[in-house]
Amino acid sequence: QVQLVESGGGLVQAGGSLRLSCAASGRTFSVSTMGWFRQAPGKEREFVAAISRSGGSTYYADSVKGRFTISGDVAKNMVYLRMSTLKASDTAVYYCAAARITTHYDYWGQGTQVTVSS
């Protein structure tokens, strides 16, 4: 099992920045990919960004490309999501997820709320 705990959410004005953190524990050696997803009220959960265990590969949704940056610290089992130039449409609950097999996410955090005021 892998446990994931997100932190760093909050209220920010449009155009501002925020950094989310995800702390992983447990059988982290089995994880190949870490990702961030989000779910806005009344909408389905959507992919935001992902990073390979080595940190050599990153992936982004088109909607956040150029504004969000995913990074990781393997030694500390931490993954971060730096969000800049935030928009009201970025308001959602953000979830950290871990996959043993790429894109097949087995483990999820409890989520952290990000609210962007316009």
Side-chain angles (χ1 to χ4, degrees):
Q1 288 283 3
V2 175
Q3 294 78 42
L4 303 170
V5 179
E6 304 97 334
S7 61
L11 174 65
V12 63
Q13 289 188 334
S17 299
L18 209 58
R19 189 181 80 156
L20 304 182
S21 299
C22 175
S25 61
R27 299 173 65 88
T28 56
F29 61 85
S30 66
V31 173
S32 67
T33 306
M34 297 286 292
W36 286 94
F37 290 74
R38 66 186 182 186
Q39 187 168 20
K43 295 188 177 181
E44 293 187 354
R45 187 177 297 184
E46 64 175 359
F47 169 77
V48 175
I51 186 169
S52 62
R53 182 175 180 83
S54 67
S57 298
T58 56
Y59 310 89
Y60 297 93
D62 288 342
S63 59
V64 306
K65 204 171 291 184
R67 300 188 299 120
F68 290 12
T69 302
I70 189 170
S71 61
D73 186 332
V74 177
K76 296 182 179 180
N77 289 321
M78 295 291 296
V79 176
Y80 308 96
L81 185 68
R82 175 69 176 177
M83 306 183 293
S84 302
T85 320
L86 283 162
K87 307 174 182 179
S89 56
D90 294 318
T91 295
V93 177
Y94 283 72
Y95 297 90
C96 178
R100 290 177 293 174
I101 301 173
T102 306
T103 74
H104 185 82
Y105 291 90
D106 308 273
Y107 307 105
W108 296 83
Q110 82 287 352
T112 185
Q113 176 70 47
V114 172
T115 302
V116 183
S117 62
S118 56

